[in-house]
Amino acid sequence: MKISLITVGKIKEKYLKDAIAEYSKRLSKYCKLEIIEVVDEKTPDQASEVVENGIRAKEAERIMKYIKEDSYVVTLEIQGKMLSSEELASKIDQLGIQGKSHITFVIGGSIGLGEAVLKRSDFALSFSKMTFPHQLMRVILLEQIYRSYRINFSEPYHK
């Protein structure tokens, strides 16, 4: 299985880079992982809805360049469906059984995802009703994907 993670913005903090590297290394046993960072747009304070829509559209254009036609796309959205770790593991397992060999997870920028990406999404996933920094969300998502593989292979880790 190939897992792509498309994210808006770069990671600046060393501790987050270290965590991402650790989970990337752990995941290499189970899947081919690629992490793609697209440039984020600067959002002015008190930006109007029109300005924010324009920013989301520019970021969406960058994201869409990396989404392969045959990939199953999972977008991270506050209004998405919340799954337990076991349910996410089952979803990843079922996609493989159904012949999907590529899953793309998309984490938007600070003001969310553009309409083009939302329309392309096959599944909207929510980790919480709370908002998390997208840099931290990358670590959380990688950990949950790793946990999913450990669950699916009946290996110790998941509690």
Side-chain angles (χ1 to χ4, degrees), residues 27-86:
L27 277 165
S28 67
K29 175 181 174 184
Y30 303 101
C31 65
K32 183 178 185 308
L33 175 70
E34 73 173 337
I35 298 174
I36 300 161
E37 294 177 335
V38 300
V39 176
D40 58 337
E41 290 289 315
K42 299 296 175 234
T43 305
D45 292 336
Q46 274 88 46
S48 68
E49 189 65 28
V50 171
V51 170
E52 286 190 354
N53 285 338
I55 290 168
R56 282 190 287 268
K58 285 179 188 172
E59 291 175 349
E61 192 177 310
R62 292 178 189 134
I63 291 166
M64 293 299 290
K65 287 180 187 172
Y66 294 100
I67 296 178
K68 305 286 187 266
E69 193 174 309
D70 65 339
S71 184
Y72 186 89
V73 178
V74 178
T75 47
L76 272 62
E77 304 176 40
I78 290 175
Q79 300 305 322
K81 182 171 174 52
M82 284 192 237
L83 300 177
S84 67
S85 295
E86 295 85 359

Side-chain angles (χ1 to χ4, degrees), residues 1-2 70-72 91-103:
M1 173 82 66
K2 180 177 181 182
D70 65 339
S71 184
Y72 186 89
K91 183 151 196 70
I92 290 171
D93 192 45
Q94 285 301 309
L95 288 170
I97 290 168
Q98 293 167 4
K100 297 288 183 189
S101 60
H102 188 187
I103 303 172

